[in-house]
Amino acid sequence: MAVTVFPITDDFAAEIGDVDLSRPLSPTDWQAVEAAFETYSVLVFPNQSLNQDQHLDFARRFGPLETSVYAISQSFDKLRLKPEIADVSNIDDKNEILARDSRKRAIEVGNRLWHTDSSFKRLPAKASLLYCREMPPVGGHTEFADMRAAYDALPAETKTRLTGLVAEHALMYSRARLGFTAFTDEERRQLPPVPQVMVRRHAGSGRMTLYLASHAGRVLGMPEAEGKALIDQLLAHASQRQFVYTHRWRVGDLVMWDDRCTMHRGRPYEDLRWRRDMQRATVSDVAPTCEQEGVRIAAE
Ligand code: OGA
Ligand code: MN
């Protein structure tokens, strides 16, 4: 049976049925999934049963995979999962719920801010594939914001003003918003601020999109306060209700999203009480965003 595509919203989220991601897809099914990913930014594959390798094998068909930041930095405890899988759970390597004062728990809170994955890397993410193994009974949803729709809704003057602007993104910037500054020198060296265009053309659809995250901290060529105010204004604009799809997870859901034209955030839950086991594979984009857009960065 061929895959079925059920739109959840007109052109932002869709559910993909009649497909078993634990096995290689037929060429027709693969084409249907790829086509759906050009139109929709969020694809929901319900009822999957995947081990880590099957999850990674499916993700790898979309491009080269990232190594998780938890594997890059030496300052985390032993990894529970393979280095290509970002462990977005509240569970440690002994299969216990993370302690209240755990460092990983403090960093993980950053996922509650609107962001797009790996925009703090020069080569950011193209797509993320998050797989749900355990869910708390209450809360823990994930929200997705449609940055193509948010761009379309901007006044013409704002669109003009944003053209060619570059923001600096860093993991430290988003974590600083939450008062977390305890980065090691090694982490500071490995994750320095990187430039990202604020507006880009989405490769799949050709549509223009905002490109933004809470990782953005400065706008190049702008006084610091003015840049921050612009970033916050755009984050608020893009996360308005009409641009947001909320995913309420069921165990076995694999949700794939397009990091080039969306933002997402995790919603709170009682994480000291309930287990939430989420595992993410992340596909790299093809080139840094400034390179893709042909934006040259003037030396400051
Ligand atoms: C992620 C992420 C949010 C969530 O996996 O990249 O931000 O709801 N997750 O777990
Ligand atoms: Mn994320």
Side-chain angles (χ1 to χ4, degrees), residues 140-187:
H141 309 318
T142 306
E143 294 182 337
F144 296 92
D146 183 344
M147 301 298 268
R148 293 184 285 192
Y151 175 86
D152 289 345
L154 287 171
E157 316 79 82
T158 312
K159 289 179 180 162
T160 310
R161 179 164 174 237
L162 294 177
T163 308
L165 283 188
V166 172
E168 221 175 50
H169 291 229
L171 196 57
M172 328 277 155
Y173 292 157
S174 54
R175 278 17 179 200
R177 284 176 183 260
L178 297 169
F180 182 92
T181 50
F183 286 98
T184 62
D185 287 345
E186 178 215 352
E187 283 167 337

Side-chain angles (χ1 to χ4, degrees), residues 111 115-117 257 264 280:
N111 278 345
H115 67 282
T116 187
D117 289 334
W257 64 84
H264 60 278
R280 193 185 82 223

